[in-house]
């Protein structure tokens, strides 16, 4: 007598679902993942709930894990400052840097990966070596140069120095190497120009890498507190992280207002990640499995 599994396979019918086997290792790994998830999400939860607590409640011990008497006073105090101007500055700087870095890095990475010219390996080695340099090392000569150009406390001084990001060029060069050279050669035979080949063939193939680079760039620019602190001199030019930092008093600090500002500053990063998460996941996992 045939078993249900053999009958299903022979008749082409639906196969029975396999029951997942829970082992000690899978239980421990899932428990660890749940613990790590709670561990990393809890600070964000504490910021969100703290934004709706009164000052006395936000700092009391033992803490109030959930606001029993929520209030909007922190948000009212926060928006007494030029928060919209700070938010616009952060959005404008981060968005322009994201677009410029993705464009420049994709061009440079494609040229370094697919074009043969003298000094190509030396140039790529210099980019890799530049990744090892902390930003603080070049900050003094960079500030001096921008001061000579008159770009301190301007959008140009905040955006242009970040365009040649070495990691972006390195990432796009590695991904450009996965593009089949036969496809590019065939497009040249068909009379495709370099500009058209890059825009219609190369860029679509680099979409997963561009999604990952866009997230890295936007979040890095949004959180670039140190460089923005050095390059800005006036309150209207401040970004949102800088503006929120100025709300901290010398003797007293309203932590409820600070948490409201931190919650506001974290929302755009979450939105950008959700928008590009599919391309980000593809960009991170590409190359992990051989096709």
């Amino acid at each position: 007598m045939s078993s249900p599994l053999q009958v299903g396979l022979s008749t082409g019918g639906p196969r029975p679902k396999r029951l997942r086997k829970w082992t000690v290792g899978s239980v421990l790994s899932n428990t660890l993942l749940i613990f790590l998830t709670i561990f990393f999400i809890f600070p964000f939860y504490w910021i969100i709930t703290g934004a709706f607590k009164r000052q006395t409640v936000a700092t009391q011990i033992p803490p109030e894990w959930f606001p029993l008497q929520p209030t909007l006073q922190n948000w009212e105090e926060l928006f007494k400052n030029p928060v919209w101007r700070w938010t616009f500055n952060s959005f404008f700087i981060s968005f322009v840097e994201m677009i410029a870095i993705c464009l420049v890095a994709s061009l440079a990475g494609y040229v370094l990966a697919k074009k043969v010219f003298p000094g190509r390996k030396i140039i790529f080695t210099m980019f890799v070596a530049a990744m090892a340099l902390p930003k603080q090392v070049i900050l003094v000569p960079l500030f001096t140069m921008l001061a000579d150009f008159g770009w301190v406390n301007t959008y140009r001084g905040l955006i242009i120095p970040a365009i040649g990001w070495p990691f972006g060029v390195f990432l796009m060069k590695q991904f450009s190497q996965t593009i089949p050279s036969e496809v590019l050669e065939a497009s040249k035979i068909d009379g495709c120009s370099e500009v058209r080949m890059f825009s219609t063939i190369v860029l679509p193939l680099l979409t997963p890498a561009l999604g990952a680079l866009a997230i890295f760039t936007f979040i890095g620019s949004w959180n670039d507190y140190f460089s923005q602190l050095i390059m800005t001199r006036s309150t209207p030019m401040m970004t949102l992280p800088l503006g929120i930092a100025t709300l901290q008093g010398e003797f007293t600090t309203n932590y409820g207002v600070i948490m409201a500002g931190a919650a506001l500053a974290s929302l755009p990063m979450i939105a950008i990640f959700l928008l590009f998460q599919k391309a980000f996941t593809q960009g991170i996992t590409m190359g992990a499995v051989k096709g």
Side-chain angles (χ1 to χ4, degrees), residues 4-87:
L5 178 60
Q6 292 174 341
V7 172
L9 292 176
S10 61
T11 60
R15 298 183 178 181
K17 295 182 179 180
R18 293 183 178 180
L19 296 177
R20 183 174 181 178
K21 295 181 179 180
W22 289 94
T23 62
V24 177
S26 62
V27 172
L28 291 177
S29 61
N30 282 280
T31 303
L32 179 61
L33 288 175
I34 293 173
F35 174 78
L36 291 176
T37 301
I38 297 174
F39 178 79
F40 286 109
I41 291 180
F42 181 76
F44 181 71
Y45 167 80
W46 190 251
I47 289 174
I48 294 296
T49 56
F52 296 95
K53 295 177 182 177
R54 293 177 286 107
Q55 167 69 3
T56 55
V57 177
T59 57
Q60 74 178 14
I61 297 177
E64 188 177 278
W65 299 107
F66 186 82
L68 301 178
Q69 297 178 345
T71 178
L72 295 176
Q73 182 179 0
N74 297 325
W75 297 92
E76 295 173 358
E77 291 293 329
L78 176 66
F79 282 98
K80 290 180 181 179
N81 301 280
V83 176
W84 293 120
R85 175 69 182 186
W86 297 341
T87 305

Coordinates of all heavy atoms in Angstrom, one line a residue, residues 4-87:
P4 N 0.9 8.3 1.7 CA 0.4 9.5 1.2 C 1.5 10.3 0.5 O 1.2 11.1 -0.5 CB -0.1 10.2 2.5 CG -0.4 9.1 3.4 CD 0.6 8.1 3.1
L5 N 2.7 10.3 1.0 CA 3.8 11.0 0.4 C 4.1 10.5 -1.0 O 4.2 11.2 -2.0 CB 5.1 10.9 1.2 CG 6.3 11.6 0.6 CD1 6.0 13.1 0.4 CD2 7.5 11.4 1.6
Q6 N 4.1 9.1 -1.2 CA 4.3 8.5 -2.5 C 3.2 8.8 -3.5 O 3.4 9.0 -4.6 CB 4.5 7.0 -2.4 CG 5.8 6.6 -1.6 CD 5.9 5.1 -1.4 OE1 4.8 4.4 -1.4 NE2 7.1 4.6 -1.1
V7 N 1.9 8.8 -2.9 CA 0.8 9.1 -3.8 C 0.8 10.5 -4.3 O 0.6 10.8 -5.4 CB -0.5 8.8 -3.0 CG1 -1.7 9.3 -3.8 CG2 -0.7 7.3 -2.7
G8 N 1.2 11.4 -3.4 CA 1.3 12.8 -3.8 C 2.3 13.1 -4.8 O 2.2 13.8 -5.8
L9 N 3.5 12.4 -4.7 CA 4.6 12.6 -5.6 C 4.2 12.0 -7.0 O 4.6 12.5 -8.0 CB 5.9 11.9 -5.1 CG 6.5 12.6 -3.9 CD1 7.7 11.8 -3.4 CD2 6.9 14.1 -4.2
S10 N 3.5 10.8 -7.0 CA 3.2 10.1 -8.2 C 2.1 10.8 -9.0 O 2.0 10.8 -10.2 CB 2.8 8.7 -8.0 OG 1.7 8.6 -7.1
T11 N 1.1 11.4 -8.3 CA 0.0 12.0 -8.9 C 0.2 13.5 -9.2 O -0.7 14.1 -9.8 CB -1.3 11.8 -8.1 OG1 -1.1 12.4 -6.8 CG2 -1.6 10.3 -7.9
G12 N 1.3 14.0 -8.7 CA 1.5 15.4 -8.9 C 0.7 16.3 -7.9 O 0.5 17.5 -8.2
G13 N 0.1 15.7 -6.9 CA -0.7 16.5 -6.0 C 0.1 17.3 -5.0 O 1.3 17.2 -5.0
P14 N -0.6 18.0 -4.1 CA 0.2 18.8 -3.1 C 1.0 17.9 -2.2 O 0.5 16.9 -1.7 CB -1.0 19.5 -2.3 CG -2.2 18.7 -2.6 CD -2.0 18.0 -3.9
R15 N 2.2 18.4 -1.9 CA 3.0 17.6 -1.0 C 2.7 18.0 0.4 O 2.4 19.1 0.8 CB 4.5 17.9 -1.3 CG 4.9 17.5 -2.7 CD 6.4 17.8 -2.8 NE 6.9 17.4 -4.2 CZ 8.1 17.5 -4.6 NH1 9.0 18.0 -3.8 NH2 8.5 17.0 -5.8
P16 N 2.8 17.0 1.3 CA 2.5 17.3 2.7 C 3.6 18.2 3.3 O 4.8 18.2 3.0 CB 2.6 15.9 3.4 CG 3.4 15.1 2.5 CD 3.1 15.6 1.1
K17 N 3.1 19.1 4.2 CA 4.0 20.1 4.8 C 5.0 19.4 5.8 O 4.6 18.5 6.5 CB 3.3 21.2 5.5 CG 2.4 22.1 4.6 CD 1.7 23.2 5.3 CE 0.9 24.0 4.4 NZ 0.2 25.1 5.1
R18 N 6.2 19.8 5.8 CA 7.2 19.3 6.7 C 7.1 20.0 8.0 O 7.1 21.2 8.1 CB 8.6 19.4 6.1 CG 8.8 18.5 4.9 CD 10.3 18.6 4.5 NE 10.5 17.7 3.3 CZ 11.7 17.6 2.7 NH1 12.7 18.3 3.2 NH2 11.9 16.8 1.7
L19 N 7.1 19.2 9.1 CA 7.1 19.8 10.4 C 8.5 20.3 10.8 O 9.4 19.5 10.5 CB 6.5 18.8 11.4 CG 5.1 18.4 11.3 CD1 4.7 17.4 12.3 CD2 4.1 19.6 11.3
R20 N 8.6 21.5 11.3 CA 9.9 22.0 11.7 C 10.4 21.3 12.9 O 9.6 21.2 13.9 CB 9.8 23.5 11.9 CG 11.2 24.1 12.2 CD 11.1 25.6 12.3 NE 12.4 26.2 12.6 CZ 12.6 27.5 12.7 NH1 11.6 28.4 12.5 NH2 13.8 28.0 12.9
K21 N 11.6 20.8 12.9 CA 12.2 20.1 14.0 C 12.9 21.1 14.9 O 13.8 21.8 14.4 CB 13.1 19.1 13.5 CG 12.5 17.9 12.8 CD 13.5 16.9 12.4 CE 12.8 15.7 11.6 NZ 13.8 14.7 11.2
W22 N 12.5 21.3 16.1 CA 13.1 22.2 17.1 C 14.2 21.4 17.8 O 14.0 20.4 18.5 CB 12.1 22.7 18.1 CG 11.1 23.6 17.5 CD1 9.9 23.4 16.9 CD2 11.3 25.0 17.3 NE1 9.3 24.5 16.5 CE2 10.1 25.5 16.6 CE3 12.3 25.9 17.6 CZ2 10.0 26.9 16.3 CZ3 12.2 27.3 17.3 CH2 11.0 27.7 16.6
T23 N 15.4 21.9 17.6 CA 16.5 21.3 18.3 C 17.0 22.3 19.4 O 16.5 23.4 19.5 CB 17.7 21.0 17.3 OG1 18.1 22.3 16.7 CG2 17.2 20.1 16.2
V24 N 17.9 21.8 20.2 CA 18.5 22.7 21.3 C 19.2 23.9 20.7 O 19.0 25.0 21.1 CB 19.4 21.9 22.2 CG1 20.1 22.8 23.2 CG2 18.7 20.7 22.8
G25 N 19.9 23.6 19.6 CA 20.6 24.8 18.9 C 19.7 25.8 18.4 O 19.9 27.0 18.5
S26 N 18.6 25.4 17.7 CA 17.6 26.3 17.1 C 16.9 27.1 18.2 O 16.6 28.3 18.1 CB 16.6 25.6 16.3 OG 15.8 24.7 17.0
V27 N 16.6 26.4 19.3 CA 15.9 27.1 20.4 C 16.8 28.2 21.0 O 16.4 29.3 21.3 CB 15.4 26.1 21.5 CG1 14.9 26.9 22.8 CG2 14.4 25.2 20.9
L28 N 18.1 27.8 21.2 CA 19.0 28.8 21.8 C 19.3 29.9 20.9 O 19.3 31.1 21.3 CB 20.3 28.1 22.1 CG 20.3 27.0 23.3 CD1 21.7 26.4 23.4 CD2 19.9 27.7 24.6
S29 N 19.4 29.7 19.6 CA 19.6 30.7 18.6 C 18.5 31.7 18.5 O 18.6 32.9 18.5 CB 20.0 30.1 17.2 OG 18.9 29.4 16.8
N30 N 17.2 31.2 18.5 CA 16.1 32.0 18.5 C 15.9 32.8 19.8 O 15.5 34.0 19.7 CB 14.8 31.2 18.2 CG 14.6 30.8 16.8 OD1 14.2 31.5 15.9 ND2 15.0 29.5 16.5
T31 N 16.2 32.2 20.9 CA 16.2 32.9 22.2 C 17.2 34.1 22.2 O 16.9 35.2 22.6 CB 16.4 32.0 23.3 OG1 15.5 30.9 23.3 CG2 16.3 32.7 24.7
L32 N 18.4 33.8 21.7 CA 19.4 34.8 21.6 C 19.0 36.0 20.7 O 19.2 37.2 21.0 CB 20.7 34.2 21.1 CG 21.9 35.2 21.0 CD1 22.2 35.8 22.3 CD2 23.1 34.5 20.4
L33 N 18.4 35.6 19.5 CA 17.9 36.7 18.6 C 16.8 37.5 19.2 O 16.8 38.7 19.0 CB 17.4 36.0 17.3 CG 18.5 35.4 16.4 CD1 17.8 34.7 15.2 CD2 19.4 36.5 15.9
I34 N 15.9 36.9 19.9 CA 14.8 37.7 20.6 C 15.4 38.6 21.6 O 15.0 39.8 21.8 CB 13.8 36.7 21.2 CG1 13.1 35.9 20.1 CG2 12.8 37.5 22.1 CD1 12.1 34.8 20.6
F35 N 16.4 38.1 22.4 CA 17.0 38.9 23.4 C 17.7 40.1 22.8 O 17.6 41.2 23.3 CB 18.0 38.1 24.2 CG 18.8 38.9 25.2 CD1 18.2 39.3 26.4 CD2 20.1 39.2 24.9 CE1 19.0 40.0 27.3 CE2 20.9 39.9 25.8 CZ 20.3 40.3 27.0
L36 N 18.5 39.9 21.7 CA 19.2 40.9 21.1 C 18.2 42.0 20.4 O 18.5 43.2 20.4 CB 20.1 40.4 20.0 CG 21.3 39.6 20.5 CD1 22.1 39.0 19.3 CD2 22.2 40.5 21.3
T37 N 17.1 41.5 19.9 CA 16.1 42.4 19.3 C 15.6 43.3 20.4 O 15.5 44.5 20.2 CB 15.0 41.6 18.7 OG1 15.5 40.7 17.7 CG2 13.9 42.5 18.1
I38 N 15.2 42.8 21.6 CA 14.7 43.6 22.7 C 15.8 44.5 23.1 O 15.5 45.7 23.4 CB 14.2 42.7 23.8 CG1 13.0 41.8 23.3 CG2 13.8 43.5 25.0 CD1 12.5 40.8 24.4
F39 N 17.0 44.1 23.2 CA 18.1 44.9 23.7 C 18.3 46.1 22.8 O 18.6 47.2 23.3 CB 19.4 44.0 23.7 CG 20.6 44.8 24.2 CD1 20.8 45.1 25.5 CD2 21.6 45.2 23.3 CE1 21.9 45.7 26.0 CE2 22.7 45.9 23.7 CZ 22.9 46.2 25.0
F40 N 18.2 45.9 21.5 CA 18.5 47.0 20.6 C 17.3 47.9 20.4 O 17.4 49.1 20.0 CB 19.0 46.5 19.2 CG 20.4 46.0 19.2 CD1 20.7 44.6 19.1 CD2 21.5 46.9 19.4 CE1 22.0 44.2 19.1 CE2 22.8 46.4 19.4 CZ 23.0 45.0 19.3
I41 N 16.1 47.4 20.5 CA 14.9 48.2 20.4 C 14.5 49.0 21.6 O 14.0 50.1 21.5 CB 13.7 47.3 20.0 CG1 13.9 46.7 18.6 CG2 12.4 48.0 20.1 CD1 12.8 45.8 18.1
F42 N 15.0 48.5 22.8 CA 14.6 49.2 24.0 C 15.0 50.6 24.1 O 14.2 51.5 24.6 CB 15.2 48.4 25.2 CG 14.8 49.0 26.5 CD1 13.5 48.8 27.1 CD2 15.7 49.7 27.3 CE1 13.2 49.4 28.3 CE2 15.4 50.3 28.5 CZ 14.1 50.1 29.0
P43 N 16.2 51.0 23.7 CA 16.6 52.5 23.8 C 15.6 53.3 22.9 O 15.3 54.4 23.4 CB 18.0 52.5 23.2 CG 18.6 51.2 23.5 CD 17.4 50.2 23.3
F44 N 15.2 52.8 21.8 CA 14.3 53.6 21.0 C 12.9 53.7 21.7 O 12.3 54.8 21.7 CB 14.1 53.0 19.6 CG 13.2 53.7 18.7 CD1 13.5 54.9 18.1 CD2 12.0 53.1 18.4 CE1 12.7 55.6 17.3 CE2 11.1 53.8 17.5 CZ 11.4 55.0 17.0
Y45 N 12.5 52.6 22.3 CA 11.3 52.6 23.1 C 11.3 53.6 24.2 O 10.4 54.4 24.5 CB 10.9 51.2 23.6 CG 9.9 51.2 24.6 CD1 8.5 51.2 24.3 CD2 10.2 51.1 26.0 CE1 7.5 51.2 25.2 CE2 9.2 51.1 27.0 CZ 7.9 51.1 26.6 OH 6.9 51.1 27.5
W46 N 12.5 53.6 24.9 CA 12.6 54.6 26.0 C 12.6 56.0 25.6 O 12.1 56.9 26.3 CB 13.9 54.2 26.7 CG 14.1 54.9 28.0 CD1 15.0 56.0 28.3 CD2 13.4 54.7 29.2 NE1 14.8 56.4 29.6 CE2 13.8 55.6 30.2 CE3 12.4 53.8 29.6 CZ2 13.3 55.6 31.5 CZ3 11.8 53.8 30.8 CH2 12.3 54.7 31.8
I47 N 13.2 56.3 24.4 CA 13.2 57.7 23.9 C 11.7 58.1 23.5 O 11.3 59.2 23.8 CB 14.1 57.8 22.6 CG1 15.6 57.7 23.1 CG2 13.9 59.1 21.9 CD1 16.5 57.6 21.9
I48 N 11.0 57.2 22.8 CA 9.6 57.5 22.4 C 8.8 57.8 23.6 O 8.0 58.7 23.7 CB 9.1 56.4 21.5 CG1 9.8 56.3 20.2 CG2 7.6 56.6 21.3 CD1 9.7 57.5 19.4
T49 N 8.8 56.9 24.6 CA 8.0 57.0 25.8 C 8.4 58.2 26.6 O 7.6 59.0 27.2 CB 8.0 55.8 26.7 OG1 9.4 55.5 27.0 CG2 7.4 54.6 25.9
G50 N 9.8 58.5 26.7 CA 10.3 59.6 27.5 C 9.9 60.9 26.9 O 9.8 62.0 27.6
A51 N 9.6 61.0 25.6 CA 9.2 62.2 24.9 C 7.8 62.7 25.4 O 7.4 63.8 25.2 CB 9.2 62.1 23.4
F52 N 7.0 61.8 26.0 CA 5.7 62.1 26.5 C 5.6 62.1 28.0 O 4.5 62.0 28.5 CB 4.7 61.1 25.9 CG 4.6 61.2 24.4 CD1 5.3 60.3 23.6 CD2 3.8 62.1 23.7 CE1 5.2 60.3 22.2 CE2 3.7 62.2 22.4 CZ 4.4 61.3 21.6
K53 N 6.7 62.2 28.7 CA 6.7 62.2 30.1 C 7.1 63.6 30.6 O 7.9 64.3 29.9 CB 7.8 61.2 30.7 CG 7.4 59.7 30.4 CD 8.6 58.9 30.9 CE 8.3 57.4 30.6 NZ 9.4 56.5 31.1
R54 N 6.6 63.9 31.8 CA 7.0 65.2 32.4 C 8.4 65.1 32.9 O 9.0 64.0 33.1 CB 6.1 65.5 33.6 CG 4.6 65.9 33.1 CD 3.7 66.1 34.3 NE 3.4 64.9 35.0 CZ 3.8 64.5 36.2 NH1 4.7 65.3 36.8 NH2 3.4 63.4 36.7
Q55 N 9.1 66.2 33.1 CA 10.5 66.2 33.5 C 10.8 65.4 34.7 O 11.7 64.7 34.8 CB 11.0 67.7 33.6 CG 12.3 67.9 34.3 CD 13.5 67.4 33.4 OE1 13.3 67.0 32.3 NE2 14.7 67.5 34.0
T56 N 9.9 65.6 35.7 CA 10.1 64.9 37.0 C 9.9 63.4 36.8 O 10.6 62.6 37.5 CB 9.1 65.4 38.0 OG1 7.8 65.3 37.5 CG2 9.4 66.9 38.4
V57 N 9.1 63.0 35.9 CA 8.8 61.6 35.7 C 9.9 60.9 34.9 O 10.3 59.8 35.0 CB 7.5 61.3 35.0 CG1 7.2 59.9 34.7 CG2 6.3 61.9 35.9
A58 N 10.5 61.7 33.9 CA 11.5 61.2 33.0 C 12.8 60.8 33.7 O 13.5 60.0 33.2 CB 11.8 62.2 31.9
T59 N 13.0 61.5 34.9 CA 14.3 61.2 35.6 C 14.1 60.5 36.9 O 15.1 60.4 37.7 CB 15.0 62.6 35.8 OG1 14.2 63.5 36.5 CG2 15.4 63.2 34.5
Q60 N 12.9 60.1 37.2 CA 12.7 59.5 38.5 C 13.2 58.1 38.6 O 13.4 57.4 37.6 CB 11.2 59.5 38.9 CG 10.4 58.5 38.1 CD 8.9 58.5 38.5 OE1 8.4 59.4 39.1 NE2 8.2 57.4 38.1
I61 N 13.5 57.7 39.8 CA 14.0 56.3 40.1 C 13.2 55.8 41.2 O 13.1 56.4 42.3 CB 15.5 56.3 40.5 CG1 16.3 56.8 39.3 CG2 15.9 54.9 40.9 CD1 17.8 56.9 39.6
P62 N 12.5 54.6 41.1 CA 12.5 53.7 39.9 C 11.8 54.4 38.7 O 10.9 55.2 38.9 CB 11.8 52.5 40.4 CG 10.9 53.0 41.5 CD 11.7 54.1 42.2
P63 N 12.2 54.0 37.5 CA 11.6 54.6 36.3 C 10.2 54.2 36.1 O 9.7 53.2 36.6 CB 12.5 54.2 35.2 CG 13.0 52.9 35.7 CD 13.2 53.0 37.2
E64 N 9.5 55.1 35.4 CA 8.1 54.8 34.9 C 8.2 54.2 33.5 O 8.5 54.9 32.6 CB 7.3 56.1 34.9 CG 5.8 55.8 34.7 CD 5.0 57.1 34.8 OE1 4.7 57.5 35.9 OE2 4.7 57.7 33.7
W65 N 8.0 52.9 33.4 CA 8.2 52.2 32.1 C 7.3 52.6 31.0 O 7.6 52.5 29.8 CB 8.1 50.7 32.3 CG 9.1 50.2 33.3 CD1 8.9 49.7 34.6 CD2 10.6 50.1 33.1 NE1 10.1 49.4 35.2 CE2 11.1 49.6 34.3 CE3 11.4 50.4 32.1 CZ2 12.5 49.3 34.5 CZ3 12.8 50.1 32.3 CH2 13.3 49.6 33.5
F66 N 6.1 53.1 31.4 CA 5.2 53.6 30.4 C 4.5 54.9 31.0 O 4.2 54.9 32.1 CB 4.1 52.5 30.1 CG 3.2 52.9 29.0 CD1 3.5 52.7 27.7 CD2 1.9 53.5 29.3 CE1 2.7 53.1 26.7 CE2 1.1 53.9 28.3 CZ 1.4 53.7 27.0
P67 N 4.4 55.9 30.1 CA 3.9 57.2 30.7 C 2.4 57.0 31.1 O 1.5 56.9 30.3 CB 4.0 58.2 29.5 CG 4.1 57.3 28.3 CD 4.8 56.0 28.7
L68 N 2.2 57.1 32.4 CA 0.8 57.0 32.9 C 0.0 58.2 32.7 O -1.2 58.2 32.6 CB 0.9 56.6 34.4 CG 1.6 55.3 34.8 CD1 1.6 55.1 36.3 CD2 1.0 54.1 34.1
Q69 N 0.7 59.4 32.7 CA 0.1 60.7 32.4 C 0.8 61.3 31.2 O 1.6 62.2 31.4 CB 0.1 61.5 33.7 CG -0.7 61.0 34.8 CD -0.7 61.8 36.1 OE1 0.2 62.7 36.2 NE2 -1.5 61.6 37.0
P70 N 0.6 60.9 30.0 CA 1.3 61.4 28.9 C 1.0 62.9 28.7 O -0.1 63.4 29.0 CB 0.8 60.6 27.7 CG -0.5 60.0 28.1 CD -0.4 59.9 29.6
T71 N 2.0 63.6 28.2 CA 1.9 65.1 28.0 C 2.6 65.5 26.7 O 3.5 64.8 26.3 CB 2.5 65.9 29.2 OG1 2.4 67.3 28.9 CG2 3.9 65.5 29.4
L72 N 2.1 66.5 26.1 CA 2.7 67.1 24.9 C 3.6 68.3 25.2 O 4.0 69.0 24.3 CB 1.6 67.5 23.8 CG 0.8 66.3 23.3 CD1 -0.3 66.8 22.3 CD2 1.7 65.3 22.5
Q73 N 3.8 68.6 26.5 CA 4.6 69.7 26.8 C 6.0 69.7 26.3 O 6.5 70.7 25.9 CB 4.6 69.8 28.4 CG 5.3 71.1 28.9 CD 5.3 71.2 30.4 OE1 4.8 70.3 31.1 NE2 6.0 72.2 30.9
N74 N 6.6 68.5 26.2 CA 8.0 68.5 25.7 C 8.0 68.9 24.2 O 9.0 69.5 23.8 CB 8.5 67.0 25.9 CG 8.6 66.6 27.3 OD1 8.9 67.4 28.2 ND2 8.3 65.3 27.6
W75 N 7.0 68.4 23.5 CA 7.0 68.8 22.1 C 6.7 70.3 21.9 O 7.2 70.9 20.9 CB 5.9 68.0 21.3 CG 6.2 66.5 21.3 CD1 5.8 65.6 22.3 CD2 7.1 65.8 20.4 NE1 6.3 64.3 22.0 CE2 7.1 64.4 20.8 CE3 7.8 66.2 19.3 CZ2 7.8 63.5 20.1 CZ3 8.5 65.2 18.6 CH2 8.5 63.9 19.0
E76 N 5.9 70.8 22.7 CA 5.6 72.3 22.6 C 6.9 73.1 22.9 O 7.2 74.1 22.2 CB 4.5 72.7 23.6 CG 3.2 72.1 23.3 CD 2.1 72.3 24.4 OE1 2.5 72.9 25.4 OE2 1.0 71.9 24.2
E77 N 7.7 72.6 23.9 CA 8.9 73.3 24.2 C 9.9 73.1 23.1 O 10.7 74.0 22.8 CB 9.5 72.8 25.6 CG 8.7 73.1 26.8 CD 8.8 74.6 27.1 OE1 9.8 75.2 26.8 OE2 7.8 75.1 27.6
L78 N 9.9 71.9 22.5 CA 10.9 71.7 21.4 C 10.6 72.6 20.2 O 11.6 73.1 19.7 CB 10.8 70.2 21.0 CG 11.6 69.8 19.8 CD1 13.1 69.8 20.2 CD2 11.2 68.3 19.4
F79 N 9.4 72.8 19.9 CA 9.1 73.5 18.7 C 9.1 75.1 18.9 O 8.7 75.8 18.0 CB 7.7 73.1 18.1 CG 7.8 71.8 17.3 CD1 7.5 70.6 17.9 CD2 8.3 71.8 16.0 CE1 7.6 69.4 17.2 CE2 8.4 70.6 15.3 CZ 8.1 69.4 15.9
K80 N 9.4 75.5 20.1 CA 9.7 76.9 20.3 C 11.1 77.3 19.7 O 11.4 78.5 19.6 CB 9.7 77.2 21.8 CG 8.3 77.1 22.5 CD 8.4 77.5 23.9 CE 7.0 77.4 24.6 NZ 7.0 77.7 26.0
N81 N 11.9 76.3 19.4 CA 13.2 76.5 18.7 C 13.0 76.3 17.2 O 12.0 75.8 16.8 CB 14.2 75.5 19.2 CG 14.4 75.6 20.7 OD1 15.1 76.4 21.2 ND2 13.7 74.7 21.5
P82 N 14.0 76.8 16.4 CA 13.8 76.7 14.9 C 14.0 75.2 14.5 O 14.9 74.9 13.7 CB 14.9 77.6 14.4 CG 15.9 77.7 15.5 CD 15.2 77.6 16.8
V83 N 13.2 74.3 14.9 CA 13.3 72.9 14.6 C 13.1 72.6 13.2 O 13.8 71.8 12.6 CB 12.4 72.1 15.5 CG1 12.4 70.6 15.1 CG2 12.7 72.2 17.0
W84 N 12.1 73.3 12.5 CA 11.9 73.1 11.1 C 13.1 73.5 10.3 O 13.4 72.8 9.3 CB 10.6 73.8 10.7 CG 9.4 73.3 11.3 CD1 8.5 73.9 12.1 CD2 8.8 71.9 11.2 NE1 7.5 73.1 12.5 CE2 7.7 71.9 12.0 CE3 9.3 70.8 10.5 CZ2 6.9 70.7 12.1 CZ3 8.5 69.6 10.6 CH2 7.3 69.6 11.4
R85 N 13.7 74.5 10.6 CA 14.9 75.0 9.9 C 16.0 73.9 10.1 O 16.7 73.6 9.1 CB 15.4 76.3 10.4 CG 16.7 76.8 9.8 CD 16.6 77.2 8.4 NE 17.8 77.6 7.8 CZ 18.0 78.1 6.6 NH1 16.9 78.2 5.8 NH2 19.1 78.4 6.1
W86 N 16.2 73.4 11.3 CA 17.3 72.4 11.5 C 16.9 71.1 10.8 O 17.8 70.5 10.2 CB 17.3 72.1 13.0 CG 17.7 73.3 13.9 CD1 18.4 74.4 13.4 CD2 17.6 73.4 15.3 NE1 18.6 75.3 14.5 CE2 18.1 74.7 15.7 CE3 17.0 72.6 16.3 CZ2 18.1 75.1 17.0 CZ3 17.0 73.1 17.6 CH2 17.5 74.3 17.9
T87 N 15.6 70.8 10.7 CA 15.2 69.6 10.0 C 15.5 69.7 8.5 O 15.9 68.8 7.9 CB 13.8 69.2 10.3 OG1 13.6 69.2 11.7 CG2 13.4 67.9 9.7

